[in-house]
Amino acid sequence: MVRAALADCRGEDARDTAELLTSELVTNALLHAGTDLTVHVEQPKGSENIRIAVDDGSDTAPCLGQPDPFALGGRGLPLVAMLAARWGWDPLPTGKRIWFEV
């Protein structure tokens, strides 16, 4: 879905990064929130960046920590923080929205 939405995007690297980071956020939502989720792809007004957001029903704030080198998980948000131009999260009336820009 993200690749199709970004078909006219400025480069393969941006599309690949967007796909990878979307996969990380969706996986986090499925593993940690256990609720329905919604994915948004948009271009903020006045910005050249593309913003991708994942909404889930959990009120728990995302935690950007140092992953244990021997753990199987815990690298999703550090990867988002490293590869995205910007990222953040916003509380929603029910749940939260985690977003990043490429």
Side-chain angles (χ1 to χ4, degrees):
M1 177 195 90
V2 170
R3 182 162 288 280
L6 301 179
D8 295 330
C9 189
R10 62 180 171 246
E12 188 74 19
D13 286 345
R15 286 191 299 273
D16 289 346
T17 299
E19 260 187 311
L20 173 65
L21 299 184
T22 302
S23 174
E24 292 296 334
L25 293 186
V26 167
T27 299
N28 283 351
L30 291 172
L31 289 175
H32 302 294
T35 65
D36 290 339
L37 60 92
T38 305
V39 177
H40 306 268
V41 179
E42 56 193 25
Q43 186 167 16
K45 254 187 177 176
S47 175
E48 293 182 10
N49 290 341
I50 301 296
R51 178 177 284 196
I52 298 174
V54 176
D55 297 356
D56 67 48
S58 171
D59 293 332
T60 304
C63 179
L64 177 64
Q66 282 285 39
D68 178 338
F70 301 105
L72 295 177
R75 292 172 183 79
L77 279 180
L79 195 60
V80 170
M82 181 173 47
L83 296 177
R86 294 175 8 128
W87 81 279
W89 74 281
D90 303 306
L92 298 174
T94 302
K96 66 183 169 296
R97 173 174 293 160
I98 303 176
W99 56 268
F100 67 88
E101 294 181 3
V102 292

